[in-house]
Amino acid sequence: MTGLGARRVELVDTLIAAAVGCGLPVEQAEATMIVVCGAATTQVAVLSLGAIVAAEKVPLGGDAIDHAVVQHLRNTHELVLPSQGVRPLHLALNASGPDGWEGTEVHGRDVSTGCARSVRVDGREVRDAIHTPLTAVLDSIGRVLRLCPPDLVADLGDRGVMLAGGSARLPGLDKMLRSATGMPVHVARNADVCAVEGLGSMLEG
């Protein structure tokens, strides 16, 4: 980089940049937690005093969640979805019924006949399908919390968890994490670009 004319080169951790981009007070003594949900990986970290207290990366992200839904449709309904067919299923996660029965209709190709066919999929069914990949994320959150001092974990009981990354806006994801952890869960307003914006803020001082 110095060969390109840069006067100073500094390495910035992606997790810290993402936290800054989300507006988290990373330089304060009180702890903050961020979960960056990417397409292929999910990173979990607790930050305090401008540094990472504990962190873990899980080789699982939005692509694995989509794949779990696609496999469920194939195994349960014998339906093959088109390349973008999983997107409408995300809407089923926000089903209005108390048990998630009100869902959405998806269109695909019948496994046996090859003909076009549609099925109605409810929110509870989709949540069950992504239970396994989400469990890996929840386990990672638990491991990171166990590595933190108790006083920092107590801070998180009030502040909660910030979701960032391209897969953070998966409908219903925040509700599932809130239910599993008992902590408040927030989705960053600029979830998909928070790391870039955070890096820009840090460069500006």
Side-chain angles (χ1 to χ4, degrees):
M1 292 295 293
T2 53
L4 297 177
R7 287 175 295 180
R8 187 178 65 183
V9 177
E10 294 185 9
L11 297 179
V12 177
D13 193 284
T14 303
L15 288 167
I16 295 179
V20 172
C22 293
L24 294 177
V26 297
E27 294 184 352
Q28 295 183 8
E30 292 81 3
T32 57
M33 173 175 268
I34 186 168
V35 178
V36 181
C37 310
T41 61
T42 297
Q43 298 182 77
V44 180
V46 172
L47 312 173
S48 178
L49 295 174
I52 296 176
V53 178
E56 184 169 310
K57 178 185 289 186
V58 182
L60 180 152
D63 289 346
I65 292 175
D66 287 352
H67 179 72
V69 175
V70 170
Q71 285 299 112
H72 172 77
L73 266 291
R74 184 183 183 96
N75 297 336
T76 303
H77 298 283
E78 296 186 342
L79 192 74
V80 179
L81 295 181
S83 57
Q84 296 300 317
V86 73
R87 299 306 172 187
L89 289 174
H90 291 171
L91 301 177
L93 291 174
N94 279 339
S96 58
D99 296 318
W101 283 111
E102 184 177 337
T104 187
E105 190 158 327
V106 294
H107 307 276
R109 176 169 54 84
D110 187 278
V111 172
S112 301
T113 67
C115 297
R117 184 164 63 87
S118 62
V119 297
R120 189 163 191 83
V121 181
D122 62 81
R124 187 170 67 177
E125 186 177 356
V126 178
R127 284 193 291 271
D128 290 343
I130 66 176
H131 175 75
T132 298
L134 280 185
T135 296
V137 175
L138 293 174
D139 290 345
S140 178
I141 292 175
R143 285 191 294 270
V144 169
L145 290 175
R146 285 192 291 272
L147 292 173
C148 295
D151 54 336
L152 294 185
V153 176
D155 293 338
L156 299 174
D158 296 325
R159 289 193 171 184
V161 182
M162 178 68 73
L163 291 181
S167 300
R169 297 187 183 278
L170 177 68
L173 177 59
D174 55 337
K175 296 177 184 177
M176 293 182 202
L177 293 180
R178 188 180 303 119
S179 175
T181 63
M183 296 189 296
V185 179
H186 316 281
V187 180
R189 176 184 56 82
N190 52 347
D192 52 343
V193 295
C194 59
V196 176
E197 292 189 356
L199 181 59
S201 298
M202 296 170 73
L203 290 175
E204 293 173 0

